[in-house]
Amino acid sequence: MDDVCQATTNGLGPQPVTYHSAGGLICLGLMHELPKASPTLAPPHQIVAICTCPDLSLPNRERMLAIEPCDNSLTTEICYLGMRIYTGVDIPPSSVQAGTIHTVPIPPSKVLDPCYSPAQGDPAVFREAGTKLVIVNAEWDVLFPDAEQYVQKLARAGVDVTYIIGQKQFHCFPVALDASPECRIAADLIVESVVRNGEAFHQRKKSQ
């Protein structure tokens, strides 16, 4: 994210960023930190977040568990593990072996910090920065319910967000490209959105 934002200093102007899974979470979260940490750097004009986890509180756990048998690439237990690694929580080996990672607590201060849980923050940060969002979600991804809820919150706040849903698709399916027609279609839609939003951004800059 620092490299993307620094590009404006090199005369390239604000850049788009595209990341999947935890990478999407980091990009969305850092948008809440950027105004405080680097107020002189221009934010990315577009963020594409593919199959990401926007809320470490996991408000839709029952729906996640219901989807889990359909997700062939991600489980709720892996989500619990990743969340604790991401927030720097020590994980006892015994909890990994016993499948009880979810019982290892994450400090509430991090669960509620929008840098770690973008859905906990004010979505106006994207609108005020002029950053357009493309959120890609998969129906058979355990993260689907939380991502869908986040998109609804963004839309209510007036954020410019494009929402792409892969029906009966798995976690990070567009990255698989030619694994199925749906993967290729989603990848093409992402490229189309990046190009369209990029052209609109540069047209606005020229008219200013």
Side-chain angles (χ1 to χ4, degrees):
M1 178 66 88
D2 286 343
D3 292 340
V4 169
C5 297
Q6 192 64 49
T8 186
T9 306
N10 300 329
L12 298 177
Q15 303 293 297
V17 291
T18 301
Y19 283 99
H20 64 277
S21 198
L25 165 62
I26 291 171
C27 287
L28 294 170
L30 284 179
M31 280 295 293
H32 293 273
E33 192 68 20
L34 189 62
K36 296 177 289 183
S38 304
T40 60
L41 294 181
H45 71 77
Q46 179 176 218
I47 293 175
V48 180
I50 302 170
C51 297
T52 194
C53 172
D55 194 341
L56 297 191
S57 72
L58 299 180
N60 297 286
R61 297 187 192 206
E62 289 187 4
R63 289 184 64 194
M64 288 178 67
L65 291 171
I67 292 171
E68 187 172 43
C70 300
D71 192 343
N72 60 8
S73 61
L74 189 64
T75 66
T76 53
E77 196 70 7
I78 292 175
C79 291
Y80 296 140
L81 175 63
M83 288 161 51
R84 282 149 182 80
I85 293 173
Y86 178 50
T87 53
V89 173
D90 289 331
I91 305 170
S94 59
S95 69
V96 177
Q97 296 167 359
T100 57
I101 298 172
H102 61 281
T103 64
V104 180
I106 298 176
S109 60
K110 291 188 175 180
V111 173
L112 299 176
D113 185 344
C115 187
Y116 293 95
S117 292
Q120 296 287 341
D122 184 355
V125 67
F126 300 102
R127 189 181 67 244
E128 293 168 359
T131 300
K132 295 187 176 185
L133 300 181
V134 177
I135 306 293
V136 183
N137 209 357
E139 185 182 18
W140 285 354
D141 183 344
V142 294
L143 298 175
F144 175 84
D146 291 351
E148 183 176 59
Q149 185 171 302
Y150 182 50
V151 169
Q152 293 168 353
K153 180 177 181 178
L154 292 168
R156 287 195 301 268
V159 177
D160 190 330
V161 56
T162 298
Y163 188 35
I164 299 172
I165 303 176
Q167 294 184 340
K168 298 183 180 180
Q169 295 303 301
F170 51 89
H171 182 66
C172 292
F173 72 102
V175 182
L177 293 179
D178 295 323
S180 72
E182 290 81 3
C183 296
R184 171 53 64 182
I185 290 170
D188 289 344
L189 286 172
I190 292 169
V191 172
E192 180 184 314
S193 296
V194 170
V195 172
R196 182 178 64 251
N197 289 337
E199 290 175 345
F201 170 80
H202 290 295
Q203 284 297 325
R204 290 197 305 274
K205 295 297 288 185
K206 285 180 181 180
S207 63
Q208 291 177 355

